[in-house]
Amino acid sequence: MNFITDIESINNLRILSSDMIENAKSGHPGMPLGCASIIYVLFKEHLNFNPDETEWLSRDRFVLSNGHGCALLYSILHLFKYDISLEDLKSFRKLGSITPGHPEKGVTSGIEVTTGPLGQGISNGVGMALASKHLASRFNTEDVKIIDNSIYVMCGDGCLMEGISNEAVSLAGHLNLNNLIVLYDDNSITIDGSTDLAFTEDTKKKYESLGWQVIKVKNADVDILEINNSIIKAKNSDKTTLICMETKIGFGSDKEGSEKSHGAPLGTDSIKELKKKFEFDENLTFQIKDNVKNNFQEILNKKLKKYNNW
């Protein structure tokens, strides 16, 4: 890892996502600011994909169960040259755009599952992991692994509260779907305030009792090395894995740690302060630094090499 370039790329994702939401005058900036480091490490170090072959059979799948944070996903897909232009980012949440307020499969390049209703994405992820295991058992041989992929789901507290997700994760633990890794944005905040208002169960004990491996990462806003190590550990496990990524909602902004950053734009003044803090030009919008563009291209070249080898 080149930490300086990595951090600058992560901060560029934060700024780009915040500009999308500010421009739309609607959206959820808290999650992109808190989770940019997680999605960047996942896409850079682990996810196998090809933006020119979005239906590649053995691609890894990424499902954004907490779909309200889709500005972050659209931003990273744009930088990896999926069919999402800068103009599409500027049309975020506008009628008829390919960047709606929640991800929709069949509308936007790179979106695997339509998500919005909480718990739906993580449940789809369980089904995808089961389907992948089934196909691998039928068509793989000792010498040739046609199907050899992982399913990654990012989710928030709301997804884990739902009944449908509890039924699905119970099945995943029972079947030892070790190709499923759930990245839990553990930020202790809901739209109404602290999760203590409604959600006080011991998530770690609950998932372990369902047969899952549970890993905790502190300071997931910034500790990219530990994020990477946790995903490596999950990939090497014989169990389904939940990684509790402790983040601060609205990381870096003047609304950090508050529900005020969950469901509304940060505001012009707050955005300018955020840009100054992350060393971006406060007077520019939708800026992407040249070294960040180059970094994403270098990462993409490695992904294409893996695809060609397959």
Side-chain angles (χ1 to χ4, degrees):
M1 284 188 175
N2 183 332
F3 285 100
I4 295 175
T5 303
D6 288 335
I7 294 302
E8 195 161 27
S9 297
I10 290 166
N11 287 339
N12 210 148
L13 284 169
R14 288 175 168 137
I15 295 300
L16 198 54
S17 301
S18 299
D19 274 343
M20 288 172 63
I21 295 160
E22 199 66 31
N23 186 62
K25 297 181 173 54
S26 176
H28 303 73
M31 179 276 200
L33 289 172
C35 292
S37 50
I38 302 168
I39 199 170
Y40 174 79
V41 172
L42 174 66
F43 271 68
K44 180 192 176 189
E45 301 292 341
H46 301 283
L47 205 70
N48 291 317
F49 60 89
N50 181 351
D52 296 322
E53 293 290 346
T54 57
E55 296 302 313
W56 171 27
L57 190 64
S58 194
R59 70 191 182 279
D60 292 329
R61 269 63 163 184
F62 175 74
V63 177
L64 187 67
S65 194
N66 48 345
H68 60 268
C70 59
L72 175 59
L73 180 54
Y74 297 150
S75 294
I76 199 166
L77 291 177
H78 166 73
L79 286 165
F80 277 125
K81 299 190 173 178
Y82 280 81
D83 193 14
I84 303 173
S85 68
L86 199 60
E87 289 304 311
D88 292 323
L89 300 188
K90 293 177 182 178
S91 297
F92 178 58
R93 283 186 160 237
K94 289 183 169 56
L95 186 64
S97 77
I98 65 165
T99 47
H102 286 79
E104 296 185 26
K105 182 171 177 60
V107 172
T108 315
S109 176
I111 302 301
E112 298 285 359
V113 172
T114 299
T115 54
L118 294 174
Q120 180 170 294
I122 189 171
S123 303
N124 269 272
V126 173
M128 295 165 101
L130 178 55
S132 183
K133 286 282 189 183
H134 176 67
L135 288 171
S137 70
R138 289 195 63 188
F139 298 111
N140 285 1
T141 68
E142 287 187 13
D143 298 324
V144 180
K145 286 183 169 53
I146 299 173
I147 307 296
D148 185 21
N149 61 351
S150 296
I151 314 300
Y152 298 94
V153 176
M154 181 173 280
C155 72
D157 300 292
C159 298
L160 302 190
M161 294 179 193
E162 295 294 332
I164 189 172
S165 60
N166 280 278
E167 294 177 38
V169 300
S170 174
L171 179 63
H174 170 69
L175 295 174
N176 285 324
L177 298 179
N178 65 327
N179 59 336
L180 174 63
I181 298 170
V182 176
L183 310 168
Y184 165 36
D185 178 21
D186 187 6
N187 61 21
S188 301
I189 288 288
T190 69
I191 195 167
D192 297 314
S194 170
T195 48
D196 289 341
L197 292 168
F199 189 56
T200 53
E201 64 187 36
D202 190 324
T203 301
K204 183 175 187 293
K205 287 182 180 177
K206 177 180 178 179
Y207 274 72
E208 286 175 342
S209 72
L210 293 171
W212 287 52
Q213 171 184 232
V214 180
I215 304 170
K216 288 208 173 217
V217 177
K218 294 183 178 181
N219 302 316
D221 317 285
V222 294
D223 196 344
I224 58 177
L225 192 59
E226 193 55 35
I227 292 169
N228 189 47
N229 290 338
S230 70
I231 298 173
I232 291 171
K233 184 177 179 182
K235 287 165 72 175
N236 290 329
S237 177
D238 60 355
K239 292 183 176 183
T240 321
T241 299
L242 176 75
I243 307 178
C244 299
M245 301 281 190
E246 294 184 7
T247 67
K248 298 182 189 71
I249 192 169
F251 176 80
S253 73
D254 57 4
K255 298 176 180 65
E256 180 182 296
S258 167
E259 70 275 8
K260 292 179 181 178
S261 70
H262 175 81
L266 295 173
T268 304
D269 292 340
S270 296
I271 288 276
K272 285 189 174 183
E273 288 303 312
L274 187 69
K275 288 176 180 177
K276 283 196 285 186
K277 184 173 185 176
F278 290 147
E279 299 181 353
F280 284 75
D281 190 328
E282 63 185 280
N283 297 310
L284 295 178
T285 58
F286 293 93
Q287 55 189 308
I288 302 170
K289 293 186 175 181
D290 288 339
N291 63 321
V292 170
K293 287 181 183 178
N294 294 336
N295 180 42
F296 276 92
Q297 184 60 59
E298 288 174 10
I299 297 168
L300 180 56
N301 290 342
K302 293 176 183 176
K303 302 294 179 182
L304 297 179
K305 188 177 289 187
K306 283 187 177 182
Y307 169 78
N308 290 330
N309 287 339
W310 180 87

